[in-house]
Amino acid sequence: MIPFLYVGRRLLTGLGLQKAVKPRFLFACSGVPISHPCNVGPAHCGDDAFFVVEDDHRSIIGIADGVGGWRRYDVDPSKFTRTLMMNCERLARSTTTETLNPVGLLQRAYEQMMRLKRPLAGSCTACIIVLDKDNKEVVAANLGDSGFMVVRGDNIVYQSQEQQHYFNTPYQLSISVDHRDVIQDKPSDAETIRISIEEGDIIVMATDGLFDNMYHTQIIDRLKAVDRQSPTYDSLKEAADKLASDARNLAEDEEYMSPFAMKAQNFGFNLRGGKLDDITIILAAVVNTLDYPDR
C-alpha cells in the first residue's frame, strides 16, 4: 500500500536564508470493510471514503460514511460518499485563497452532486478538518456521527459531538432521485469549531465504526506507541492498523458493552455487543516543516 504521507512546501523569509517554520500534518490511514474483516489497512473501506490535500497554507482532511440502508433500494451507498469526497478534494486543490471554510467546501461539493444531470442517490455523514498553517489552528465541520478527537499527551483537548435525529439516525447529506422521503440535512447544520493546535498533537479522525466500538481510553492507549516528538509514518500506520483491528474485533464481541450498546441503553434498548460497520481511520500528527520538510 502506498504510504499516505503528505507534506507542505518550505517557505523562505527575509533574505531567503531563514525558513519559516509552520505546522503540518503527517498522515496515516487504515480501516476494515464490514464485508472483509481480515483485510485491515485498505485506503477505502466499504461505504466509507476520505480525502487529503496539502498546500502552502493548509492541510485538509475529510471523511464520509455512507448510509447502508440505501441498498434496500438497489443503490450502492459507496458511490455517493466517494463522489462527495472527490468533489471536496478537487475543490480544495483548486482554491487559491489563503483561508478555506470547511462548511463552504462541503456545501460546494454537495451542490455539484445535486447539479449532476443524473444525480447519485444516497446519503452520508461527513467531517472535514482544515489546518491553517499560518495561524496554527484547525477549523472543523462535522455533520452526523463520524468525527474526530484532538489528543495532546494522554489527554483529549477536544472531541466532536455526534449529531443524531434519534437513536442510530445521524444527521446526513442526502439526494433522492425519485423524491423518496429521506432525511436531508444541510452542510450548514454541521457542528463547527476552531481549535489551536500544538506540535505533538495527534488528530484521530474516523467514521463511527471506530467510535461506536472503542472508548476514548482504549484509543489513547494505542497512541502511546507513537513518539509525539518524532513521529514516523510507520509508527502512525501501525497504530492506525491496530485501532482498526481492535475496533473490528470488539464489534464482533457479543458480550462486550460497547459505546454503541451504552448509547442504545440510554435510549431504552436492551443491547449488548459491538456494532459491525465499515471502519476508516486517519491519524494526523502535528509536526513542523523544519524537521519534516518537503521531499
Side-chain angles (χ1 to χ4, degrees), residues 5 32 40 49 88 111 229 241-242 287:
L5 179 61
V32 187
V40 176
C88 285
E111 287 176 351
Q229 301 307 311
D241 283 346
K242 287 182 177 179
V287 297

Side-chain angles (χ1 to χ4, degrees), residues 149-194:
M149 52 197 289
V150 181
V151 181
R152 185 169 299 155
D154 293 336
N155 299 311
I156 297 173
V157 297
Y158 181 77
Q159 168 72 52
S160 60
Q161 300 300 308
E162 287 188 0
Q163 294 176 307
Q164 298 274 2
H165 289 285
Y166 41 89
F167 176 65
N168 206 28
T169 307
Y171 283 34
Q172 54 200 261
L173 302 179
S174 303
I175 295 177
S176 178
V177 296
D178 57 1
H179 306 291
R180 185 177 285 113
D181 185 22
V182 298
I183 295 172
Q184 191 169 32
D185 299 296
K186 304 182 295 297
S188 58
D189 293 324
E191 174 199 33
T192 58
I193 188 71
R194 185 180 299 268

Side-chain angles (χ1 to χ4, degrees), residues 63 127 142 144-149 159-160 204-208 211:
I63 203 165
C127 181
N142 185 57
D145 59 2
S146 293
F148 71 100
M149 52 197 289
Q159 168 72 52
S160 60
V204 182
M205 174 184 272
T207 54
D208 63 331
F211 297 120

